[in-house]
Amino acid sequence: MYKEYNISQLSLPIETEISFPESDIALIINKLVESIPQETFNQYYNHRGPSSYHPKMMLKIVLYSYTQSVFSGRKMEFLLKDSCRMMWLAQGQVPSYRTINRFRVNPHMIDFIQVLFVGLRAQLLEDKVITEDALYIDGTKIEANANKYTFQWLGSTKHFSKGVIEKSNAVYKQLISEKIIPEIKRESSDELTKEELNRIEMHLDDKNETLTSKIEASQSVEIRKTLRKQRSKVRKYKKAIKDFKDRKIKYDEQMEIYGDRKSYSKTDHDATFMRMKNDHMKNGQLKPGYNLQIATNNQFILAFGVYSNPGDTRTLPSFLKSIKELYGDIPEYIVADAGYGSEQNYTMILDEFEKTLLITYSMYLKEKKRKYKNNPFITANWKYNEIDDYYVCPNNKELHFKSYRKRRDGYGYQRDFKLYKCEDCVGCPLRNECMNYRTNPTTTKSLYKNPTWDYFKAFTNKQLSDPKTKGIYKKRKIDVESAFGNLKANLGFQRLSVRTQSKVECELGIALMAVNIRKLAR
């Protein structure tokens, strides 16, 4: 059972005449948490041991502390004895900092946070504070609670792993050639597996024991001396094989941790080294961190996601799916900057979600400049003959269609291209401006065109030329960027205090809800 907790009755020694203004943060938090259905708190119920603090009370004091820029469990415990609002929310109860810290990273905390976001959105829609037409998305990097110089790089692991494979194969061939061990059945001639290394080690153990027995049985000094030399060599090989096996196990574990990333921190395996704006070394030093994605409307944060990959492009599909799961649907307009502009994301929004995208691409602003439009050597400005399907270069040479090509990026997404080639570029006076001067003098100009990408670019330009959708896109900066300013500058939340992604999601959910509550109070 829970300890006695009744918010409607004050307990001594708190003064009964204490009252707060209607817009007070403590009252907003109390109303918000009390709106959570009771069944949500039942998963916290513990049937064994002494009675525990009520999750409602714990959630209220944690939320209030975060709104006051207090992120330390010890400082929260102090506020419970010092702040009249904290005393009122806790009804005089004083859980220890250890209890507070355990509560805010409890696996069930994410369920509370999701219910809070759903409830807050419903309230904001009812009060007509936000609209349902658009969702503004952006990301930022949050520094992880990990040591700065605990980096582990994928390139280094691959390099050393390759060295282990080469050396272990060489040692195995040497053992066979010297007839120290019998040849074993291998799965692949390229690499020795952990099981195969184990078998080699067992053969060497047997060989070592056999030589030891012969040494003990022999009475000849010369024979014993020769056998000891052989045993010494066997033990040397055994030590090398054991080292190869241990290192292989270590590198295999590291490769599992990497996943599709290129780095991780040794003190927080879920954190990836990313380039932060606040560079402590002033030399482009990377820091361990997480990629925080948020979706806003009227500067209120309606959803968030935490990711380990530093790029924003690949976070959008899973982020939109999580929003749809949370709210049942997503708004009509998906608004984001050029960091999210990719063929894969455009295809997903238009085909899978059937929504309108207002997302620019990397060259969007540059293509609007006069210098870009007037440059005759940019292939996007070349004349195109739709009937005969060919392009005309600045020297009036024709580039005709040759073949279809396919390309896959590092994550397996396939893009389709059309290849156009010029028949003759030899002796062209514009060759150096049109092509790389280092290329072979006999090389002809090749032009790759992606019809799908060209369609999406035209679609984006059309959408952002319409006054209505252009007006929605213009709100992006003041809508989503201000939320990050409220989080990092006004709230002062710039570094995480917990490790592993599940706990990070809980803490960031509390911090983002604190930002919403502060804005609601204003």
Side-chain angles (χ1 to χ4, degrees), residues 302-313:
L302 305 179
F304 74 98
V306 180
Y307 302 90
S308 294
N309 51 301
D312 289 337
T313 310

Side-chain angles (χ1 to χ4, degrees), residues 407-465:
R407 289 181 182 175
R408 289 187 181 275
D409 59 21
Y411 304 101
Y413 184 77
Q414 179 179 295
R415 292 175 295 164
D416 300 322
F417 290 87
K418 293 177 71 176
L419 172 62
Y420 297 83
K421 288 183 77 72
C422 183
E423 298 296 335
D424 183 21
C425 290
V426 179
C428 178
L430 305 177
R431 182 181 178 85
N432 288 341
E433 290 83 359
C434 185
M435 299 173 66
N436 191 331
Y437 68 92
R438 294 189 182 88
T439 57
N440 192 312
T442 60
T443 304
T444 56
K445 177 71 175 179
S446 298
L447 178 62
Y448 287 88
K449 282 288 181 179
N450 185 343
T452 307
W453 181 241
D454 290 340
Y455 165 76
F456 286 137
K457 286 171 66 176
F459 178 84
T460 302
N461 280 287
K462 181 181 177 182
Q463 290 293 329
L464 296 180
S465 299

